[in-house]
Amino acid sequence: MDEWITTAGRLLAEPYPETMTQRADGFAEPGLHVAYLMVSRDFWDGDGREAMEPTLEEYEAVCDRLVAAPAERWGEPERIDLSEVLAGSLRGEEQPPLTGYLCGVAGGPAPLWRRDDRHVSVVVAWADKELPMIVTLAVGQN
């Protein structure tokens, strides 16, 4: 956990790049930093839910613990409903880079801390059932 909190501090202080940049632990783009904290294996059609569910449960538990760690320092996060944000996006409402990213990889409520002129969120990202699950730490402009 301490290493991940250190990563959050680094991303909060790091300037945003002017263009998309791949890093060993994730990527950055204008207005957004994303760190991959845990990455599962790929899943295949033949794997079935019984192979995916234990990984999802483990990653959600890690995410819950990771949300609790900053809450001790920064207070309880607000929760944003990504389905409402996605609906707004589909109506043509422009989204900041952070919520746009979160809507593309997660659903339901997501924790969000305001840190000066940035937001921080931690979610289990799973863009497609065949792709790996990823515990992500994302920092974006307000």
Side-chain angles (χ1 to χ4, degrees):
M1 285 300 150
D2 289 339
E3 180 181 330
W4 296 344
I5 298 301
T6 300
T7 298
R10 177 178 55 85
L11 296 181
L12 282 165
E14 204 170 281
Y16 297 113
E18 292 184 25
T19 61
M20 171 76 133
T21 305
Q22 293 292 328
R23 298 190 299 221
D25 70 340
F27 69 92
E29 61 186 35
L32 180 67
H33 293 292
V34 175
Y36 302 148
L37 304 180
M38 289 178 65
V39 180
S40 75
R41 67 177 179 83
D42 291 348
F43 296 96
W44 303 99
D45 284 334
D47 286 341
R49 292 202 53 87
E50 57 277 352
M52 297 172 199
E53 285 179 11
T55 302
L56 182 58
E57 288 172 7
E58 174 191 357
Y59 278 40
E60 286 176 340
V62 166
C63 193
D64 289 345
R65 288 195 313 270
L66 190 54
V67 167
E72 292 176 8
R73 294 182 174 112
W74 301 339
E76 288 298 317
E78 65 180 278
R79 298 281 175 170
I80 58 168
D81 185 343
L82 296 176
S83 60
E84 289 180 15
V85 175
L86 181 59
S89 181
L90 293 174
R91 290 190 301 272
E93 297 171 12
E94 189 172 334
Q95 299 302 322
L98 176 63
T99 52
Y101 166 75
L102 294 174
C103 284
V105 299
L112 191 72
W113 290 273
R114 295 178 191 273
R115 306 300 302 154
D116 297 323
D117 65 339
R118 295 184 179 204
H119 286 145
V120 179
S121 189
V122 178
V123 297
V124 176
W126 197 18
D128 187 283
K129 70 177 184 161
E130 294 181 356
L131 297 176
M133 293 176 210
I134 306 170
V135 176
T136 64
L137 171 73
V139 174
Q141 291 177 322
N142 287 351

